Amino acid sequence: KNEVEQSPQNLTAQEGEFITINCSYSVGISALHWLQQHPGGGIVSLFMLSSGKKKHGRLIATINIQEKHSSLHITASHPRDSAVYICAVPLISSGSARQLTFGSGTQLTVLP
Amino acid sequence: DTGVSQDPRHKITKRGQNVTFRCDPISEHNRLYWYRQTLGQGPEFLTYFQNEAQLEKSRLLSDRFSAERPKGSFSTLEIQRTEQGDSAMYLCASSLDRGEAFFGQGTRLTVV
């Protein structure tokens, strides 16, 4: 069973559309990360949130800790938003340290 | 640039050769993580350091893999006797305690 599940796996949108990417996780967490990965591999952290909502430019991230669910929204999408979006949560390991467990990512393509 | 840097960005090696990757974290970050990402998948945790101590190792980290962080600053990941299945993107991230993780650009390994 995947501990972090994202949907959809692939998403194609027209420029200007409102985008929603969903993430569900199976265990209690302290915070959730949304990451962006462009071709070539580099990962950029977009948000780290533990409750409510955060907004940065056209990006909005929400989280519902009780429902173990988070969404990433992109308003007025643009072709440069095309990337893989990954959610990640720190899960308790066998020891006291925590490390991120990642969803499989959502490939977003925004067409002009 | 004060972000996380990884070297090299790309490495092509013949099966059976040893390879070593380097990660320089953000200077004040005490935690350093290594992840592996295969095509179409989210990153998977390999190992984690707090300062110079290696505190967690994934079962993915076979005995051909070794990681060090000798002075609690930069880290190296060595793969001995590389196999084709080792071909992947190797990502490094760092954080200050449980704060936001910052990722490097990754090292793409191709074993031929």
Side-chain angles (χ1 to χ4, degrees):
Chain A
K1 181 182 187 305
N2 291 334
E3 292 165 311
V4 183
E5 295 199 350
Q6 284 187 238
S7 63
Q9 283 190 303
N10 294 283
L11 180 57
T12 301
Q14 290 296 132
E15 184 173 356
E17 284 186 9
F18 181 82
I19 304 290
T20 295
I21 299 170
N22 296 300
C23 176
S24 298
Y25 50 93
S26 59
V27 296
I29 62 169
S30 56
L32 179 143
H33 301 247
W34 279 104
L35 310 166
Q36 181 191 56
Q37 187 172 33
H38 281 283
I43 289 180
V44 173
S45 177
L46 298 175
F47 295 102
M48 180 173 127
L49 69 165
S50 55
S51 65
K53 180 167 85 172
K54 283 191 175 180
K55 185 175 189 292
H56 181 69
R58 296 180 294 105
L59 300 177
I60 303 167
T62 63
I63 189 168
N64 185 318
I65 294 291
Q66 287 74 31
E67 295 186 2
K68 298 185 173 62
H69 180 269
S70 176
S71 293
L72 176 68
H73 306 284
I74 305 175
T75 62
S77 59
H78 190 275
R80 65 174 174 266
D81 297 326
S82 299
V84 176
Y85 292 84
I86 304 171
C87 72
V89 300
L91 299 179
I92 299 174
S93 66
S94 57
S96 60
R98 298 178 180 223
Q99 64 274 350
L100 294 175
T101 296
F102 297 79
S104 57
T106 294
Q107 173 69 63
L108 171 66
T109 303
V110 181
L111 302 174
Chain B
D1 183 25
T2 57
V4 178
S5 63
Q6 291 187 243
D7 182 69
R9 291 290 307 277
H10 303 274
K11 177 72 176 178
I12 300 174
T13 191
K14 290 185 178 178
R15 191 174 52 188
Q17 297 293 305
N18 299 344
V19 294
T20 300
F21 310 140
R22 177 178 169 126
C23 172
D24 286 87
I26 292 173
S27 59
E28 62 268 26
H29 284 184
N30 55 349
R31 295 190 179 191
L32 186 147
Y33 305 82
W34 284 99
Y35 300 91
R36 182 173 70 185
Q37 185 178 27
T38 52
L39 199 61
Q41 301 297 316
E44 296 173 292
F45 170 75
L46 290 178
T47 189
Y48 149 70
F49 291 85
Q50 179 149 321
N51 299 312
E52 66 276 8
Q54 188 174 18
L55 297 186
E56 290 284 338
K57 290 201 304 186
S58 161
R59 284 171 296 200
L60 293 175
L61 213 66
S62 76
D63 57 7
R64 295 185 298 106
F65 287 69
S66 62
E68 295 183 341
R69 195 184 182 197
K71 297 181 181 179
S73 56
F74 74 91
S75 176
T76 58
L77 177 68
E78 181 183 15
I79 309 174
Q80 295 183 324
R81 305 181 304 281
T82 52
E83 301 173 356
Q84 285 188 318
D86 298 331
S87 296
M89 174 75 80
Y90 291 84
L91 292 160
C92 174
S94 71
S95 69
L96 180 61
D97 298 320
R98 295 181 181 180
E100 186 172 2
F102 292 82
F103 287 81
Q105 291 291 309
T107 293
R108 184 172 295 282
L109 173 67
T110 303
V111 181
V112 297

